């Protein structure tokens, strides 16, 4: 019986850990501008590190969407449940804070610099 309970607990812990690492989402650009850079950082981090925080190279044209993956984010940082996003468009950086990326599949940015997610 003890082995069975231990096995169930291990499965639950493994499943919750795997879910925390799924930070990937689709970004929808409705800003009216091309997004040329994007960064993400665990919430509460006061500085952005271009080597660690840049998650998409290239640009995302207005009216398009792109799958954002966190393949280059190390395991410690992936374990953060809330993240800040930073996008470069219209000649400047725009930031949004405290987004629960582990529970998000789509992120929408609009012309008013509003962000919405589901």
């Amino acid at each position: 019986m003890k082995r069975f309970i231990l096995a169930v607990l291990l499965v639950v812990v493994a499943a919750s850990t795997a879910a925390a690492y799924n930070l990937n989402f689709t970004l929808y650009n409705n800003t009216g501008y091309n997004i040329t850079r994007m960064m993400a950082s665990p919430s509460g981090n006061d500085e952005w590190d271009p080597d660690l925080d840049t998650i998409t190279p290239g640009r995302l044209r207005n009216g398009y969407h792109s799958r954002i993956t966190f393949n280059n984010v190390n395991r410690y940082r992936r374990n953060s449940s809330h993240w800040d996003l930073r996008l470069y468009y219209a000649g400047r950086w725009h930031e949004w804070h405290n987004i629960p990326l582990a529970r998000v599949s789509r992120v929408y940015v609009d012309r008013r610099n509003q962000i919405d997610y589901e």
Side-chain angles (χ1 to χ4, degrees), residues 4-54:
F4 175 74
I5 292 172
L6 181 59
V8 169
L9 287 174
L10 287 174
V11 168
V12 169
V13 169
S16 65
T17 302
Y21 292 159
N22 185 13
L23 301 173
N24 302 336
F25 62 92
T26 301
L27 176 65
Y28 293 81
N29 179 8
N30 297 312
T31 63
Y33 300 93
N34 293 332
I35 295 173
T36 56
R37 290 193 65 202
M38 180 176 176
M39 300 172 86
S41 182
S43 292
N45 190 8
D46 293 337
E47 296 182 18
W48 296 92
D49 183 344
D51 293 330
L52 295 175
D53 297 333
T54 300

Side-chain angles (χ1 to χ4, degrees), residues 54-67:
T54 300
I55 58 174
T56 63
R59 69 180 182 151
L60 177 57
R61 294 184 353 207
N62 179 56
Y64 287 79
H65 61 275
S66 179
R67 186 78 178 143

Side-chain angles (χ1 to χ4, degrees), residues 86-97:
R86 190 176 199 206
L87 305 177
Y88 190 83
Y89 61 90
R92 67 185 188 94
W93 287 102
H94 303 267
E95 293 182 13
W96 299 271
H97 302 278

